[in-house]
């Protein structure tokens, strides 16, 4: 089973930037749909950004224009560039993968993703 390991989280002031990385334990080809999710204390896990098996990108409305998801196929690594961070972005961020197609607003459905990392904490302060 593929394992995912996130890194790059930390503490940053509002308006700052962070870049999250997610490394897979083995090669992940384009058959996989991948995404970033987050969960704040007391809240449900929510989709942040995704890239599907045909390279289409999907973003939550709350992060559009601020976050960018990208994928390095040769390195089986997923990235999330987060700019203009806000207090509301504070959460544990998870990388996830699904073998198979993702269509529509797939990041709204975390249950579709079967492979999850352990998460990396992002804390935004004023």
């Amino acid at each position: 089973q593929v394992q995912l390991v996130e890194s790059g989280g930390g503490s940053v002031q509002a308006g700052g930037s962070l870049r999250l990385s997610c490394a897979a334990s083995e090669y992940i080809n384009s058959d996989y749909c991948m995404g970033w999710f987050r969960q704040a204390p007391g809240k449900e896990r929510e989709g942040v950004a995704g890239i599907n098996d045909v390279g289409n990108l999907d973003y939550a409305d709350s992060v559009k224009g601020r976050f960018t998801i990208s994928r390095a196929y040769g390195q089986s690594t997923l990235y999330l560039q987060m700019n203009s961070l806000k207090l509301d972005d504070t959460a544990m961020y998870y990388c996830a993968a699904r073998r198979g197609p993702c269509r529509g607003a797939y990041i709204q459905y975390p249950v579709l993703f079967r492979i999850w990392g352990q998460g990396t904490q992002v804390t935004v302060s004023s």
Side-chain angles (χ1 to χ4, degrees), residues 41-61:
K43 294 187 177 181
E44 293 187 357
R45 190 168 296 189
E46 63 174 356
V48 175
I51 180 166
N52 72 3
D53 49 298
V54 294
N56 293 331
L57 308 182
D58 191 22
Y59 293 95
D61 289 342

Side-chain angles (χ1 to χ4, degrees), residues 36 38 43 46-49 58-67 82-90 93 107-108:
W36 288 98
R38 66 186 181 187
K43 294 187 177 181
E46 63 174 356
V48 175
D58 191 22
Y59 293 95
D61 289 342
S62 59
V63 306
K64 283 181 180 176
R66 300 189 298 122
F67 291 11
M82 305 187 296
N83 298 328
S84 302
L85 282 161
K86 302 177 180 180
L87 298 179
D88 288 347
D89 295 320
T90 295
Y93 283 72
I107 60 167
Q108 295 184 23

Side-chain angles (χ1 to χ4, degrees), residues 7 19 25-26 31 38 66-67 72 78 84 87-93 109 112 114 122 124-125:
S7 62
R19 189 191 195 205
S25 59
E26 58 188 70
D31 290 342
R38 66 186 181 187
R66 300 189 298 122
F67 291 11
L78 187 70
S84 302
L87 298 179
D88 288 347
D89 295 320
T90 295
M92 183 71 79
Y93 283 72
Y109 304 100
L112 295 176
R114 300 297 181 90
V122 172
V124 183
S125 60

Side-chain angles (χ1 to χ4, degrees), residues 22-45:
C22 170
S25 59
E26 58 188 70
Y27 177 66
I28 291 183
N29 61 22
S30 59
D31 290 342
Y32 284 80
C33 172
M34 299 190 74
W36 288 98
F37 298 81
R38 66 186 181 187
Q39 188 166 17
K43 294 187 177 181
E44 293 187 357
R45 190 168 296 189

